Amino acid sequence: MSAKARFDAIQSVVTRKAQGTLQEKRPQSAHFGEQTFSLQEAQRRLPKDVFKKLRETVLGGAPLDPAIAPAVAHGLKEWALERGATHFTHLFQPMTGITAEKHDSFLSYEGDGLIERFGGRELVQGEPDASSFPSGGLRATFEARGYTAWDPTTSPFLVKHPNGATLTIPSAFVSYTGESLDEKTPMLRSQEAISSAAMRLLRLTGRSDVKRVTCTMGPEQEYFLVDRAFFALRPDLVACGRTVFGAPPPKGQELEDQYFGAIKDRILAVMSEVEHEAIGLGIPVKTRHNEVAPAQYECAPIFEVVNRAADHNLLILELFRRIAPKHGLAFLDHEKPFAGINGSGKHNNWSMATDGGENLLEPGTTPIKNTQFLLFLAATIRAVFKHGGLLRSSVASAGNDHRLGANEAPPAIMSVFIGDELQGIFEQIGRGSGAHNDKRGTIDLAVSAIPAISKDTTDRNRTSPFAFTGNKFEFRAVGSSQNISWPNTIINTIVAESIDYVADRLEAELKAGLSVGDAAAKILPGLVAEVSPVVFNGNNYDEAWHREAERRGLANDRDTPAALRHLVSEPSLALFERYKVLNRKEAESRYTVRLENYCKRVAIEAKVAVEMARTGVLPAAFSYLGRLAPLKDVPAAGEAFTEVSKLANSVAQGIKALEAALGATHHVSNVVEEADAFRAKVLPAMLDLRASVDALEVRVDDDLWPYPKYREMLFMV
Ligand code: ADP
Ligand code: MG
């Protein structure tokens, strides 16, 4: 064993230079969306009546008229061929967390020769077979056929590569029997659910101008960039995206000098190239900065309709994966690549908006707008109160388990932060209108406006999993590697149900003859009282809160197997059915897929840990012992020899224990038990092994340690 490869990697890192790759001189707005077949592009290329129908589908969510598909496909093909495309693909989101694509060329025999052809059917539906994707038992391989279907609400786009381009069609993925096999389909269904519930409530309050409600989403993406030379020497990073070993560096994040620090040139080169590509794809990327942990960064777009935001977030991740290596860097989207420093999440900024662009969570400036705001706000909070467990389950994964509950991310307890101002308003409402003796004065819902909630006062609490930040909610528990479609499917669905609940109550009062204002004033105190157990404005990291939350009856599911149970609880299954988001079979299959994913990920980590410990760590320890052996008479060397041989023995025992734990996961009768074995046996055994390995790392001769250390990976760029 020697550290030669490690030292060579350090050498290559210190000699690397930032690479300028962009020639772009135009402002971003000038090339925004130029790689997409946008509505403007469609208008230029399609017959008037075809365009009109397509526009209705894209903007209004009307189903695509099959009669226009051939014309749309033709226009699209011409557009793509002019830009050098040779192939097309339906891009879909199987339950793997990432996207999938299968490319076909446009070529087709026509008479005696080959020509480029792209028919309406090929645009609208693909048949990738794709029998190897996880389906949680929904598909046996003999009926494995899966179909992809164009989601016309997001534009087709071109993905350029060094030798050409591919026309890419964002798609849903369903089985032969119509069951959803992907993340997009339930998301689109949940959009329908919340739109009709919200429309119903709006109509009750006298709003007849709104035709559609959509959810808006701005996901703030955190990630790490480390040098590829280091990455390549870490089997754990290569196989699992996280380090299973690594002693804490002398300097971590305690100086807080990384957060919002000056961005290094090599990093900026990656960021700007990703952003340039993203802008071309019509992704409104806006913010970039250094995050709290060393080597950690953030990328945030301007918010969009949630299904587009989800597509775009997946594309951003793909761009980073593709572009970072060109700059000699590895992109890590794992929730916890390095122990002891912050992990990465994805802050999901979520709200609801009308087709006219009105944000339904914007505090009003008139009494009627206030009423509307308070009703939607109360409904959203109630959703978290009623279905906190399900919401928690939507972000459960092996990776995110390292994050939720540590003092860097919101805990596994789902609560809502509303801030002092709204808290005051809630308390007044709770006392009933007309109450006073409050220094803030009294709010008479029927006549007065709620003052605009200033962002400054609401955004201070960074410890809350679900925080109201002025005119939207920020769900902070989402993992950095996750497809945001799923957590947003859950938010949409649980909020839809609570909006209906509020609408039921309002409707009853209206039927009894009350005005909208009076009816709202009558039901709000009850609503506020009902949801108050889930409202918490304090420090969510505080142990006292964990006890208090238990007293309030809020769930605290600390790990994935525990959290996922909520996905298939009776209330959840009934909810999915009622809102036509998932049928029981689909929900159960998702439960299985997610549990399997958990098991597989932990298994990979455990196997990598065993291999690294056996083939890298122990040999380094033995070499060092060999160096020390002749010097045993020197007291310091003798002491080191004893210490290192003890630790080497614990590593050897740790390997055996971990292998035994892994073996035990085979003796189970179903995936629920299997996941439990990984949680209860494998993960603790990995931690035990890690403790001895990390102790060895800081004792073995640096000249022998084969794996790049935290102090190198995190600080050398
Ligand atoms: P921060 O949370 O860091 O203070 P901002 O609040 O400005 O930053 O924005 C964070 C994200 O929230 C951005 O992606 C922004 O586009 C998004 N956002 C702002 N308003 C809304 C909204 N109404 N719905 C969804 N996302 C929104
Ligand atoms: Mg934020």
Side-chain angles (χ1 to χ4, degrees), residues 15 20 53 177 199 270 330 346 358 375 492 498 559 571 636 677:
T15 53
K53 280 193 173 155
T177 44
M199 291 287 297
V270 175
K346 191 137 55 186
E358 174 189 343
L375 293 174
N492 291 352
S498 277
D559 51 66

mmCIF file of all heavy atoms in Angstrom, residues 15 20 53 177 199 270 330 346 358 375 492 498 559 571 636 677:
data_model
loop_
_atom_site.group_PDB
_atom_site.id
_atom_site.type_symbol
_atom_site.label_atom_id
_atom_site.label_comp_id
_atom_site.label_asym_id
_atom_site.label_seq_id
_atom_site.Cartn_x
_atom_site.Cartn_y
_atom_site.Cartn_z
ATOM 1 N N THR A 15 -2.427 21.746 -10.241
ATOM 2 C CA THR A 15 -2.011 22.328 -11.521
ATOM 3 C C THR A 15 -3.182 22.604 -12.466
ATOM 4 O O THR A 15 -2.996 23.116 -13.549
ATOM 5 C CB THR A 15 -1.025 21.380 -12.249
ATOM 6 O OG1 THR A 15 -1.627 20.092 -12.329
ATOM 7 C CG2 THR A 15 0.289 21.284 -11.503
ATOM 8 N N GLY A 20 -12.405 28.441 -19.517
ATOM 9 C CA GLY A 20 -13.504 29.199 -20.120
ATOM 10 C C GLY A 20 -13.994 28.425 -21.332
ATOM 11 O O GLY A 20 -13.210 28.087 -22.211
ATOM 12 N N LYS A 53 -55.044 24.933 -31.150
ATOM 13 C CA LYS A 53 -55.391 23.771 -30.321
ATOM 14 C C LYS A 53 -54.237 23.366 -29.415
ATOM 15 O O LYS A 53 -54.426 23.003 -28.254
ATOM 16 C CB LYS A 53 -55.791 22.596 -31.214
ATOM 17 C CG LYS A 53 -57.217 22.721 -31.716
ATOM 18 C CD LYS A 53 -57.690 21.408 -32.317
ATOM 19 C CE LYS A 53 -59.166 21.486 -32.649
ATOM 20 N NZ LYS A 53 -59.527 20.543 -33.714
ATOM 21 N N THR A 177 -51.428 -1.698 -18.751
ATOM 22 C CA THR A 177 -52.766 -1.649 -18.169
ATOM 23 C C THR A 177 -53.122 -0.261 -17.634
ATOM 24 O O THR A 177 -54.126 -0.093 -16.952
ATOM 25 C CB THR A 177 -52.872 -2.668 -17.022
ATOM 26 O OG1 THR A 177 -51.677 -2.556 -16.239
ATOM 27 C CG2 THR A 177 -52.993 -4.071 -17.540
ATOM 28 N N MET A 199 -60.429 25.556 -7.269
ATOM 29 C CA MET A 199 -61.464 26.236 -8.061
ATOM 30 C C MET A 199 -62.791 26.235 -7.311
ATOM 31 O O MET A 199 -63.533 27.203 -7.338
ATOM 32 C CB MET A 199 -61.650 25.512 -9.397
ATOM 33 C CG MET A 199 -60.482 25.638 -10.325
ATOM 34 S SD MET A 199 -60.396 27.269 -11.011
ATOM 35 C CE MET A 199 -61.944 27.264 -11.885
ATOM 36 N N VAL A 270 -17.913 25.854 -14.047
ATOM 37 C CA VAL A 270 -18.957 24.823 -14.141
ATOM 38 C C VAL A 270 -20.337 25.472 -14.045
ATOM 39 O O VAL A 270 -21.224 25.229 -14.865
ATOM 40 C CB VAL A 270 -18.817 23.774 -13.014
ATOM 41 C CG1 VAL A 270 -19.977 22.791 -13.054
ATOM 42 C CG2 VAL A 270 -17.497 23.044 -13.132
ATOM 43 N N ALA A 330 -16.192 16.414 -10.004
ATOM 44 C CA ALA A 330 -17.279 15.454 -9.868
ATOM 45 C C ALA A 330 -18.422 16.136 -9.141
ATOM 46 O O ALA A 330 -18.213 16.834 -8.144
ATOM 47 C CB ALA A 330 -16.819 14.226 -9.086
ATOM 48 N N LYS A 346 -32.973 20.130 -0.793
ATOM 49 C CA LYS A 346 -33.566 20.868 -1.891
ATOM 50 C C LYS A 346 -34.731 21.597 -1.266
ATOM 51 O O LYS A 346 -35.703 20.973 -0.866
ATOM 52 C CB LYS A 346 -34.011 19.851 -2.938
ATOM 53 C CG LYS A 346 -34.407 20.387 -4.220
ATOM 54 C CD LYS A 346 -33.856 19.592 -5.399
ATOM 55 C CE LYS A 346 -34.139 18.113 -5.447
ATOM 56 N NZ LYS A 346 -33.435 17.439 -6.548
ATOM 57 N N GLU A 358 -52.288 35.086 -10.113
ATOM 58 C CA GLU A 358 -52.455 35.561 -8.737
ATOM 59 C C GLU A 358 -52.009 34.466 -7.758
ATOM 60 O O GLU A 358 -52.471 33.334 -7.821
ATOM 61 C CB GLU A 358 -53.940 35.886 -8.519
ATOM 62 C CG GLU A 358 -54.301 36.251 -7.100
ATOM 63 C CD GLU A 358 -55.829 36.335 -6.919
ATOM 64 O OE1 GLU A 358 -56.569 36.430 -7.922
ATOM 65 O OE2 GLU A 358 -56.270 36.282 -5.761
ATOM 66 N N LEU A 375 -58.073 31.331 4.155
ATOM 67 C CA LEU A 375 -58.670 30.018 3.907
ATOM 68 C C LEU A 375 -57.650 29.078 3.266
ATOM 69 O O LEU A 375 -57.507 27.924 3.666
ATOM 70 C CB LEU A 375 -59.921 30.148 3.027
ATOM 71 C CG LEU A 375 -61.120 30.862 3.664
ATOM 72 C CD1 LEU A 375 -62.240 31.048 2.643
ATOM 73 C CD2 LEU A 375 -61.651 30.106 4.887
ATOM 74 N N ASN A 492 -49.500 18.490 -3.116
ATOM 75 C CA ASN A 492 -50.702 18.846 -3.886
ATOM 76 C C ASN A 492 -51.915 18.053 -3.405
ATOM 77 O O ASN A 492 -53.007 18.596 -3.256
ATOM 78 C CB ASN A 492 -50.500 18.550 -5.377
ATOM 79 C CG ASN A 492 -49.487 19.468 -6.019
ATOM 80 O OD1 ASN A 492 -49.029 20.434 -5.412
ATOM 81 N ND2 ASN A 492 -49.117 19.177 -7.250
ATOM 82 N N SER A 498 -57.545 19.137 2.018
ATOM 83 C CA SER A 498 -57.882 20.120 3.050
ATOM 84 C C SER A 498 -58.627 21.317 2.471
ATOM 85 O O SER A 498 -59.441 21.933 3.155
ATOM 86 C CB SER A 498 -56.618 20.571 3.799
ATOM 87 O OG SER A 498 -56.324 19.625 4.808
ATOM 88 N N ASP A 559 -36.468 7.077 10.459
ATOM 89 C CA ASP A 559 -35.794 6.435 9.334
ATOM 90 C C ASP A 559 -36.793 6.037 8.255
ATOM 91 O O ASP A 559 -38.005 6.071 8.463
ATOM 92 C CB ASP A 559 -34.989 5.225 9.813
ATOM 93 C CG ASP A 559 -35.841 4.316 10.659
ATOM 94 O OD1 ASP A 559 -36.784 3.741 10.105
ATOM 95 O OD2 ASP A 559 -35.580 4.204 11.885
ATOM 96 N N PRO A 571 -55.573 5.786 5.772
ATOM 97 C CA PRO A 571 -55.946 7.152 5.362
ATOM 98 C C PRO A 571 -55.225 7.602 4.092
ATOM 99 O O PRO A 571 -55.815 8.287 3.254
ATOM 100 C CB PRO A 571 -55.511 8.017 6.555
ATOM 101 C CG PRO A 571 -55.373 7.085 7.708
ATOM 102 C CD PRO A 571 -55.072 5.730 7.157
ATOM 103 N N ALA A 636 7.932 5.429 21.659
ATOM 104 C CA ALA A 636 6.835 6.019 20.871
ATOM 105 C C ALA A 636 6.408 5.071 19.761
ATOM 106 O O ALA A 636 5.216 4.924 19.465
ATOM 107 C CB ALA A 636 7.263 7.364 20.285
ATOM 108 N N ALA A 677 -33.961 -5.118 8.560
ATOM 109 C CA ALA A 677 -32.659 -5.715 8.849
ATOM 110 C C ALA A 677 -31.532 -4.767 8.436
ATOM 111 O O ALA A 677 -30.532 -4.626 9.150
ATOM 112 C CB ALA A 677 -32.528 -7.052 8.133
#
